[in-house]
Amino acid sequence: MLVDGKAYRSIWPAADGEAVEIIDQTLLPFIFKVARLSRLSDAARAIRDMQVRGAPLIGATAAYGIWLGLRQGTGDAQLRAIADELIACRPTAVNLAWAVERMLTKLLPLAPETRLEAALYEAEQICAEDVRCNEAIGKHGAALIAALWDKKGRQEPVNLLTHCNAGWLATVDWGTALAPVYAAAAQGIAIHVWVDETRPRNQGASLTAWELGKAGIAHHLIADNAGGHLMQHGLVDLCIVGSDRTTATGDVCNKIGTYLKALAAQANQVPFYVALPGSTVDWRLRDGLAEIPIEERDEAEVLFIQGKDEAGTVRRVAIAPEHCPAFNPAFDVTPAHLVTGLITERGVCKAGREGLSSLYPEQSQHDQHD
């Protein structure tokens, strides 16, 4: 995607071949800075501290993290230790474990002296596949937006609501939930996006709004609690969100607050779609509420907020009484019956075992009875 006229991906190998570079998302929207990851510890920190976030990008960073770790040694014990350290960084996004397991499958059978080069190649393949998948998600999702625009007589923009950030910053490029927005805009479809703040970390305000502004797409930032009101008054034509883990039965785990938007959408007959690549489906799971681990993050994310003051200084300020305790679950689970459909790189399907199996028949061996 373009940032001030220059094309970027969210992660890429450094020109000197000695490191990986990322956009430090903790500094956006006020500071655009490229950070360098030179060691395994850098990659682990980037994932843990959310310099990179979004399930697909976490997976890509982990893949490169294995390459960085192997620069210090390529033996079996080293490789397994690297994998364990990366998987432990964040528990919810399935792409993290998926990418690490894929790297292990490729690397363990190889002679240790060939693993370093092979690890870089496989990480680059994961990134390239992510870009292709997300571009395809955009194509399939844009068709849904086009149909709504036709229904409105092409006289008014399609109003889409999204939660958190599932744009190109959450992937290697294009995004998941925002890929249909970018594809629709490229087709000349008039579109407007309602952007949830997405507290407590405000990824909607700091990342999604920043992305859409750079892309020249009409949008308004709204308080998280405004979505239901907008739906009641017919101001939302559809919702599209991303996913950090989706079960084989179509339950969706996404940023905290997604479930409430799905409830409001159902109550107001607003289509609620989830955009995700097949790598985000955890085919081993059947019950999202019971089986998906929900990351609980530091209470400081709830108790403090970062912003820029009138003097232009970026600061972190408290928003609660001193010594106030806080609880900070990072994700929630939206049951499949609240999801209108899943937008994947292979097409759109109903949220459920049958729908997913129709697009991914090769996963049938995981499809157990209830």
Side-chain angles (χ1 to χ4, degrees), residues 25 43-55 57-59 62 83-98 100 164 201 203 244-245 254-256 293-297 301 328-331:
Q25 297 186 31
R45 184 194 65 250
I47 295 170
R48 186 174 52 250
D49 294 349
M50 296 178 69
Q51 287 180 292
V52 296
R53 20 74 49 213
L57 179 54
I58 289 173
D84 290 344
E85 180 174 345
L86 288 166
I87 288 175
C89 288
R90 297 193 68 186
T92 301
V94 72
N95 295 65
L96 175 56
W98 169 84
V100 171
C164 195
R201 288 191 64 96
Q203 295 101 321
D244 285 83
R245 187 183 300 224
N254 193 50
K255 184 56 61 182
I256 193 76
I294 300 299
E295 178 182 5
E296 294 179 15
R297 294 185 60 81
E301 293 180 349
N328 187 18
F331 303 91

Side-chain angles (χ1 to χ4, degrees), residues 181-204:
V181 172
Y182 294 134
Q187 295 171 23
I189 296 170
I191 189 164
H192 167 266
V193 183
W194 297 111
V195 181
D196 284 352
E197 293 168 308
T198 320
R199 294 190 178 182
R201 288 191 64 96
N202 295 325
Q203 295 101 321

Side-chain angles (χ1 to χ4, degrees), residues 218-234:
H219 63 282
H220 282 86
L221 180 67
I222 59 172
D224 280 355
N225 290 331
H229 168 77
L230 295 175
M231 294 182 205
Q232 285 179 322
H233 291 272

